[in-house]
Amino acid sequence: MTVVKSDIEIARHAAKKPVVEIGAKIGIPPEHLAPYGYDKAKLSAEFIRSKRGDRNGKLILVTAVSPTPAGEGKTTTTVGLGDGLNRVGKKAIVCIREASLGPCFGTKGGAAGGGYAQVIPMEDINLHFTGDFHAITAAHNLLAAMIDNHVYWGNELNLDTRRITWRRVMDMNDRALRDIATSLGGVANGFPRESGFDITVASEVMAILCLATDLADLEQRLGEIIIGYRFNKTPVYARDLQADKAMAVLLKDAMQPNLVQTLENNPAFVHGGPFANIAHGCNSVVATTTALKLADYVVTEAGFGADLGAEKFFDIKCRKAGLKPAAAVIVATVRAMKMHGGIAREDLGRENISAVKAGCANLGRHMENVRQFGVPVVVAINHFTADTQGEIDALKAFVAAHGAEAVLCRHWAEGSAGIEELAHKVVALAESGSGQFSPLYEDELPLFDKIETIVKRIYRGAEADADSSVRDQLRQWEDAGYGNLPVCMAKTQYSFSTNPHLRGAPVNHVVHVREVRLAAGAGFVVAICGEIMTMPGLPKSPSAERIHLNEDGLIEGLF
Amino acid sequence: MTVVKSDIEIARHAAKKPVVEIGAKIGIPPEHLAPYGYDKAKLSAEFIRSKRGDRNGKLILVTAVSPTPAGEGKTTTTVGLGDGLNRVGKKAIVCIREASLGPCFGTKGGAAGGGYAQVIPMEDINLHFTGDFHAITAAHNLLAAMIDNHVYWGNELNLDTRRITWRRVMDMNDRALRDIATSLGGVANGFPRESGFDITVASEVMAILCLATDLADLEQRLGEIIIGYRFNKTPVYARDLQADKAMAVLLKDAMQPNLVQTLENNPAFVHGGPFANIAHGCNSVVATTTALKLADYVVTEAGFGADLGAEKFFDIKCRKAGLKPAAAVIVATVRAMKMHGGIAREDLGRENISAVKAGCANLGRHMENVRQFGVPVVVAINHFTADTQGEIDALKAFVAAHGAEAVLCRHWAEGSAGIEELAHKVVALAESGSGQFSPLYEDELPLFDKIETIVKRIYRGAEADADSSVRDQLRQWEDAGYGNLPVCMAKTQYSFSTNPHLRGAPVNHVVHVREVRLAAGAGFVVAICGEIMTMPGLPKSPSAERIHLNEDGLIEGLF
């Protein structure tokens, strides 16, 4: 059962079907699918509207233990479970995020799954795809250009140029753009000031697109973006610059979910991809809510581990979109458990049952956390060839002792055949009706109390800590009417604490909130705990040096 | 015959056909058209290759008098003539440039023709279209990121960071980005240096894409881009950074011509759009050469007036691609003639025959110039409702006295029915075999002599003038093997001289070459005469403030 083919080789040899046939499987007429080539299509707004009254299928969240360098395979499991559910006779749609182009030229592998659990065409999905991210980049930067243009022509709004918070974005790993001085070179180029670029996925426009329910809601939210402050400290909105409507024009097509297929020709919506630290890290609400109208089961994922990804999925996306997840799958691997149990990466090849047992503390806490939201869990052990039976048994025993089941999954090597058991368990769990979803905190809770609730109940820290300036800022936003927003925690994904090296299940740590930001258009308050990088750099030998077209014009070196 | 509908209203009410039907008209099988929606498609590389041995149709260039604020309607006439040729029984394809998104949010109108001579879908063509410009932006900026990344990780190539000539690009009018300081903020962000952004159409990658014959040629040319110089003054190429192949991957789809249709359902290739000053200002070679294999007639246009656009079309595009234009149409308007005759814009409404006669000097010189290339000319008078019969007659008489014909064209108001006469004249001229195209100068002429040849024979200046540093630079490039390249003049489009206010047909002016740049990948030397803006700004009240989606989700305010 040795799989030697690379992801791209497997993807290239897939028996791909025309995307209209994939759409037909879930009742989408061809006239409501705008094709992008023969294997990608955008779903029409009209069709989406026509389905509003229909009943919903069941929503399954795939989340994971705290990530380790060993890799957990969350997207791979999401895609595999979608195929598995179809295999056991359920109509299922996979909903995942789009990939950011820039990081593909650094070190990142593909974001379309792996092995025999992938969405295709994976080269397109990882590069330009249907142009959504380019549209977001353009909309974001149009607003930026209009801000400096407003100042240039007299600054009627009385913007304090030192307090312009709206930066520019680019879908590229380019550290040289993190901090820049703009409008140099003389009078014709405007008033010099400091600014910078973030990567496109960190744009508030991305978060807005992923939370908006339709084009009208999108436009409304774009108008509510705060781009900076006047000399009197009052906020200036995108609407004040009359930028919101033109931005919506640029995002018109990007708002429509993209339909593609898995290697097994099952439908997948790949749409939106906000950062999982300063944003909520989930695919679009439009894609998820539409998929729920078309299928018995919708399998989706959230970024990072369950402490960050699942918490935001529940407290931001589900809260805002009125979603009720029926069950959650927590992906764990024997390797990750060993790392959480204190084993170094280079020693992962050796059996170590006691390390697995020790590392399970991390998994156990994520299980408890997800259950706090009233969502029943099942654990997927994403199988790696070096895993030993003793290690697998230890992991299963731990989960069983904590009142759930862990299922060994071989979808990476075998596709849906390797994940049938998990599919059956998920169906049983979802149909048991044991799910009673509710968010972790009420809308009415003060902002700092929301942060503290997450710190104590999810991260199991002793307390949330912040300077008085941060607390004052939160109170000001409460006074301005933003107190009912959920909070979006920006914290290292590698630990429950703010120390990325503290694996396992640390307790009693203090979580320091360094800075808070208001994403008024997206509708959340970002709490930044530790250093968060919003513009990556390239490594010394970036993969761009190896990415090329082969003699047949096919892309090589991307993964 | 009063036309009250706006361009966008006309376009919206067009009886659009599926793009596969348009392709079928010119023998493109549906499997070789990758659809982007139902009204746009990209032609496969395989199909293009399969046509290589076929015989060519006739190539017609549409060019114009020196542009004035009155507007000439070159694209409108190009599209109208394409429809006109189809109307008179010829199989004709229109080949025009793609529009830049950024300027649409400033003041620019659409770039898809006007009235009843348009290509559609015009909203798409003017905004994201099939993503080609976004791909060019990404490829350009990947190279930029790799340059700073190389310096960051030790600068093995010994790049002099003061002499990095490769800037970044964005498809946006954003004057704040013209001159910036990058890599501020400390060690982690690299070595601070001065740089800036140009608009995407000014990227050498755009020029390369438009001159490359296929993907292999594209990759070769990308490798030859000079990104800057070492401390020892030797050039550093994109190839030295191993960026060329990944850039080609990003441009794979962008290299394929886009098929759309005119309002009359005739085929149009809309592909590429380099700046007409620092680059050659023509649609892609791939689109033009492919169209010639599929049609009796291919109608294409060049940027600005004939002194800049046609000269570059002949001396750069036709020279490099081996094209032999059969005839040229020079677009003139009564209004433009009056402005060249000294009349102010606000006085254009009054009949002024003597001003028309005086302004015809501009037209006459363009006619002579085009004939110098061995290309026969016909003049298209693009009709405006306020034109009087006396003015039209004066224009016609001038052209007749100079051995050619001027034909009144009403395609803007009437579509192909209004341009039948021009279509017949063009056919007669092209089939007369009187065209004996050759470029203005030989490849072997020294670079400065090439500049001087253009200045004297096309601009009718007394001489070309340059500081010794510029002349030395040109000699260095000759020594380095670049002496055989054509020159690309960057000069104001409003006058034969370098003074934009000098309308008509000035003589004996001196053309000062301020700066020269080597576009080694594109394959030309740019001679910059006067101030050339490569990053536009937005006006005080940009059209972005008015662009919006109406209640039906349709775009308003774009034009």
Side-chain angles (χ1 to χ4, degrees):
Chain A
M1 204 195 59
T2 315
V3 177
V4 289
K5 282 187 183 169
S6 71
D7 289 353
I8 201 163
E9 283 172 319
I10 293 170
R12 203 171 277 162
H13 291 93
K16 220 164 33 177
K17 289 192 180 164
V19 72
V20 288
E21 285 184 34
I22 306 301
K25 280 190 178 188
I26 46 174
I28 309 173
E31 64 271 23
H32 286 294
L33 285 173
Y36 284 66
Y38 293 99
D39 48 13
K40 308 175 286 294
K42 278 191 169 282
L43 198 46
S44 81
E46 196 188 335
F47 178 76
I48 291 172
R49 267 195 303 274
S50 75
K51 290 286 163 188
R52 276 210 180 135
D54 293 13
R55 62 181 288 275
N56 285 323
K58 292 186 191 305
L59 180 60
I60 310 300
L61 173 71
V62 176
T63 182
V65 297
S66 303
T68 70
E72 283 68 49
K74 200 170 46 195
T75 304
T76 303
T77 304
T78 305
V79 175
L81 179 57
D83 282 337
L85 286 164
N86 276 292
R87 185 183 184 93
V88 303
K90 299 294 176 185
K91 195 187 277 186
I93 300 176
V94 166
C95 283
I96 61 173
R97 288 168 290 173
E98 297 181 58
S100 184
L101 176 158
C104 290
F105 295 92
T107 49
K108 192 179 72 76
Y116 287 89
Q118 295 187 51
V119 287
I120 47 175
M122 68 105 84
E123 300 97 318
D124 293 11
I125 291 170
N126 282 292
L127 295 176
H128 304 297
F129 199 32
T130 59
D132 294 344
F133 286 17
H134 292 317
I136 289 166
T137 303
H140 184 115
N141 291 336
L142 172 63
L143 176 55
M146 290 178 78
I147 293 167
D148 278 303
N149 192 57
H150 178 85
V151 174
Y152 178 85
W153 287 105
N155 196 9
E156 210 174 290
L157 290 168
N158 212 22
L159 253 169
D160 180 349
T161 57
R162 302 164 306 176
R163 290 195 167 85
I164 293 173
T165 49
W166 195 252
R167 292 156 50 95
R168 289 173 177 81
V169 296
M170 187 185 281
D171 193 1
M172 198 57 69
N173 287 18
D174 192 347
R175 69 171 68 73
L177 294 178
R178 283 175 191 156
D179 283 298
I180 65 173
T182 59
S183 294
L184 306 179
V187 172
N189 299 346
F191 297 85
R193 65 181 185 87
E194 287 181 56
S195 188
F197 280 72
D198 296 318
I199 192 161
T200 298
V201 291
S203 166
E204 187 179 344
V205 176
M206 175 69 86
I208 288 173
L209 184 123
C210 290
L211 287 168
T213 51
D214 58 21
L215 215 43
D217 184 38
L218 176 82
E219 191 173 288
Q220 171 75 14
R221 288 166 178 269
L222 292 169
E224 284 162 16
I225 291 171
I226 294 174
I227 61 95
Y229 297 86
R230 294 184 182 80
F231 284 100
N232 67 7
K233 305 276 179 68
T234 57
V236 175
Y237 298 90
R239 181 179 295 128
D240 298 327
L241 290 153
Q242 294 170 259
D244 46 335
K245 292 182 167 59
M247 291 169 77
V249 165
L250 282 169
L251 296 168
K252 182 177 186 285
D253 296 333
M255 258 306 278
Q256 301 313 119
N258 305 297
L259 175 66
V260 292
Q261 63 193 289
T262 67
L263 288 175
E264 300 190 8
N265 311 122
N266 292 312
F269 287 163
V270 179
H271 193 220
F275 242 33
N277 50 37
I278 60 147
H280 64 293
C282 305
N283 76 302
S284 78
V285 162
V286 173
T288 305
T289 54
T290 304
L292 284 168
K293 301 298 184 188
L294 305 176
D296 304 326
Y297 281 84
V298 173
V299 186
T300 191
E301 62 169 343
F304 299 148
D307 55 332
L308 281 165
E311 188 273 313
K312 294 181 190 189
F313 174 78
F314 295 140
D315 277 329
I316 300 177
K317 181 172 174 176
C318 292
R319 178 196 302 264
K320 291 296 174 183
L323 299 170
K324 303 271 177 205
V329 174
I330 301 178
V331 180
T333 61
V334 165
R335 294 154 60 86
M337 292 303 93
K338 286 199 272 193
M339 288 197 82
H340 280 296
I343 297 301
R345 195 174 180 177
E346 48 278 18
D347 298 325
L348 286 178
R350 274 199 299 277
E351 177 176 78
N352 192 328
I353 293 171
S354 63
V356 169
K357 286 180 179 170
C360 278
N362 184 275
L363 170 61
R365 183 173 298 170
H366 287 297
M367 291 170 63
E368 282 174 23
N369 283 348
V370 171
R371 285 165 164 168
Q372 285 191 71
F373 291 88
V375 178
V377 302
V378 56
V379 172
I381 307 172
N382 186 15
H383 182 252
F384 278 67
T385 41
D387 299 348
T388 69
Q389 193 59 47
E391 291 171 329
I392 293 165
D393 290 344
L395 213 171
K396 284 188 170 180
F398 175 88
V399 174
H402 287 73
E405 266 188 282
V407 182
L408 191 68
C409 301
R410 300 179 187 270
H411 47 287
W412 183 81
E414 299 173 14
S416 65
I419 198 167
E420 253 192 65
E421 189 187 345
L422 181 71
H424 284 298
K425 299 282 188 222
V426 163
V427 170
L429 208 55
E431 293 186 355
S432 72
S434 62
Q436 293 295 332
F437 171 74
S438 70
L440 190 67
Y441 51 80
E442 298 300 313
D443 290 352
E444 293 69 28
L445 202 65
L447 290 169
F448 195 80
D449 293 0
K450 287 173 181 163
I451 294 170
E452 198 148 56
T453 302
I454 294 167
V455 168
K456 290 186 174 167
R457 291 186 50 197
I458 303 293
Y459 308 157
R460 316 297 172 96
E463 59 167 342
D465 169 41
D467 292 348
S468 59
S469 64
V470 165
R471 292 171 188 262
D472 289 349
Q473 178 64 82
L474 292 174
R475 269 189 294 267
Q476 279 169 30
W477 288 334
E478 283 164 355
D479 293 343
Y482 295 110
N484 61 339
L485 295 182
V487 294
C488 177
M489 302 297 283
K491 185 186 71 69
T492 178
Q493 66 268 35
Y494 298 113
S495 172
F496 282 103
S497 75
T498 54
N499 173 3
H501 305 294
L502 217 53
R503 297 217 168 96
V507 287
N508 286 328
H509 44 278
V510 173
V511 173
H512 181 72
V513 181
R514 188 172 55 80
E515 184 193 339
V516 285
R517 295 182 194 165
L518 175 56
F524 50 70
V525 169
V526 184
I528 297 178
C529 314
E531 287 299 321
I532 296 297
M533 177 63 69
T534 52
M535 172 53 98
L538 291 171
K540 184 164 188 183
S541 173
S543 51
E545 295 178 356
R546 292 169 293 281
I547 292 172
H548 66 279
L549 295 168
N550 69 17
E551 283 169 11
D552 300 322
L554 300 173
I555 299 169
E556 300 282 1
L558 195 49
F559 311 99
Chain B
M1 205 194 58
T2 316
V3 177
V4 288
K5 284 186 182 169
S6 70
D7 289 354
I8 200 163
E9 284 171 321
I10 293 170
R12 204 171 280 163
H13 290 93
K16 218 162 38 173
K17 289 190 179 165
V19 70
V20 287
E21 286 184 33
I22 307 301
K25 280 190 177 188
I26 46 174
I28 309 173
E31 64 271 23
H32 286 294
L33 285 173
Y36 284 66
Y38 294 99
D39 47 13
K40 308 174 286 294
K42 279 190 169 283
L43 198 46
S44 80
E46 196 188 336
F47 178 76
I48 291 172
R49 268 195 303 273
S50 75
K51 291 286 161 185
R52 277 213 178 132
D54 293 12
R55 62 180 289 276
N56 285 324
K58 293 186 190 303
L59 179 60
I60 310 299
L61 174 70
V62 176
T63 181
V65 297
S66 303
T68 70
E72 285 66 48
K74 198 169 49 193
T75 304
T76 303
T77 304
T78 304
V79 175
L81 179 57
D83 282 337
L85 286 165
N86 276 293
R87 186 183 182 91
V88 304
K90 301 293 178 187
K91 195 186 277 186
I93 300 176
V94 165
C95 282
I96 61 173
R97 288 170 289 174
E98 296 181 58
S100 184
L101 176 157
C104 289
F105 295 92
T107 49
K108 194 179 72 75
Y116 287 90
Q118 295 186 53
V119 287
I120 46 175
M122 68 105 84
E123 301 95 321
D124 292 10
I125 292 170
N126 282 292
L127 294 176
H128 305 296
F129 199 32
T130 58
D132 294 344
F133 286 17
H134 292 316
I136 290 166
T137 304
H140 184 116
N141 291 338
L142 173 62
L143 176 54
M146 289 177 80
I147 294 167
D148 278 303
N149 192 57
H150 179 84
V151 174
Y152 178 85
W153 286 105
N155 197 11
E156 210 174 292
L157 290 168
N158 212 23
L159 254 169
D160 181 348
T161 56
R162 302 164 307 176
R163 290 193 166 87
I164 292 173
T165 50
W166 194 254
R167 290 155 53 92
R168 289 175 177 80
V169 296
M170 187 186 280
D171 194 0
M172 198 56 68
N173 288 16
D174 192 347
R175 68 172 68 74
L177 294 178
R178 284 175 190 155
D179 284 298
I180 66 172
T182 59
S183 294
L184 305 179
V187 171
N189 299 346
F191 296 86
R193 64 182 186 89
E194 288 182 54
S195 187
F197 279 73
D198 297 317
I199 192 162
T200 298
V201 291
S203 166
E204 187 178 345
V205 176
M206 175 70 84
I208 288 173
L209 184 123
C210 289
L211 288 168
T213 51
D214 58 20
L215 214 43
D217 184 38
L218 175 83
E219 191 173 288
Q220 171 75 16
R221 288 167 177 269
L222 292 169
E224 284 162 16
I225 292 171
I226 293 173
I227 61 95
Y229 298 85
R230 293 185 182 80
F231 284 99
N232 67 7
K233 303 277 177 68
T234 56
V236 175
Y237 298 90
R239 182 178 296 128
D240 298 328
L241 290 154
Q242 295 169 260
D244 46 335
K245 292 182 167 61
M247 291 169 76
V249 166
L250 283 169
L251 295 168
K252 181 176 186 282
D253 295 333
M255 257 307 276
Q256 301 312 120
N258 305 297
L259 175 66
V260 292
Q261 64 194 289
T262 68
L263 288 175
E264 300 190 9
N265 312 122
N266 292 311
F269 286 163
V270 179
H271 192 220
F275 241 32
N277 49 37
I278 60 148
H280 63 293
C282 305
N283 77 302
S284 79
V285 162
V286 173
T288 304
T289 54
T290 303
L292 284 167
K293 302 298 184 188
L294 305 177
D296 305 326
Y297 280 83
V298 172
V299 186
T300 190
E301 63 168 342
F304 299 150
D307 55 331
L308 282 166
E311 188 272 313
K312 293 180 190 188
F313 174 77
F314 295 141
D315 278 330
I316 299 176
K317 182 173 175 176
C318 292
R319 179 196 301 263
K320 291 295 175 185
L323 299 171
K324 303 271 178 204
V329 174
I330 302 179
V331 180
T333 62
V334 164
R335 294 153 61 85
M337 292 303 93
K338 287 199 274 195
M339 288 198 83
H340 279 296
I343 297 300
R345 193 174 181 178
E346 47 279 19
D347 298 326
L348 287 177
R350 274 198 299 277
E351 176 176 75
N352 191 330
I353 292 170
S354 63
V356 170
K357 286 179 179 168
C360 278
N362 184 275
L363 170 61
R365 183 173 296 170
H366 287 297
M367 291 169 63
E368 283 174 23
N369 283 347
V370 171
R371 285 163 165 168
Q372 285 192 68
F373 291 89
V375 178
V377 301
V378 56
V379 173
I381 307 173
N382 186 14
H383 183 250
F384 278 69
T385 42
D387 300 349
T388 70
Q389 194 59 48
E391 291 172 330
I392 292 165
D393 290 343
L395 212 171
K396 284 188 170 180
F398 174 89
V399 174
H402 287 74
E405 266 190 281
V407 182
L408 192 68
C409 301
R410 298 179 188 272
H411 48 286
W412 182 81
E414 299 172 15
S416 65
I419 199 169
E420 253 193 66
E421 189 187 347
L422 182 71
H424 284 299
K425 299 284 187 219
V426 164
V427 170
L429 209 56
E431 292 186 355
S432 71
S434 63
Q436 293 294 330
F437 171 75
S438 70
L440 190 68
Y441 52 79
E442 299 298 316
D443 288 354
E444 294 72 25
L445 203 66
L447 290 169
F448 195 79
D449 294 0
K450 287 173 181 163
I451 294 171
E452 197 149 55
T453 301
I454 295 167
V455 167
K456 289 187 172 166
R457 291 185 52 196
I458 303 293
Y459 307 157
R460 315 298 172 96
E463 59 167 343
D465 170 41
D467 293 347
S468 60
S469 65
V470 165
R471 292 172 189 260
D472 289 349
Q473 177 65 82
L474 291 174
R475 270 189 294 267
Q476 279 170 29
W477 288 335
E478 283 164 355
D479 293 343
Y482 294 110
N484 60 339
L485 295 183
V487 293
C488 177
M489 302 296 284
K491 184 186 72 68
T492 177
Q493 66 268 37
Y494 298 112
S495 172
F496 282 104
S497 75
T498 54
N499 173 1
H501 305 294
L502 217 55
R503 297 218 167 96
V507 287
N508 287 329
H509 44 277
V510 173
V511 174
H512 181 73
V513 181
R514 188 172 56 79
E515 183 192 339
V516 284
R517 294 182 195 167
L518 174 56
F524 51 69
V525 170
V526 185
I528 297 178
C529 314
E531 286 299 321
I532 296 297
M533 177 63 69
T534 51
M535 173 51 99
L538 291 170
K540 185 164 188 185
S541 174
S543 52
E545 294 177 357
R546 292 170 292 282
I547 292 171
H548 66 278
L549 295 167
N550 69 18
E551 283 170 11
D552 301 322
L554 300 172
I555 299 170
E556 301 283 1
L558 195 49
F559 311 100

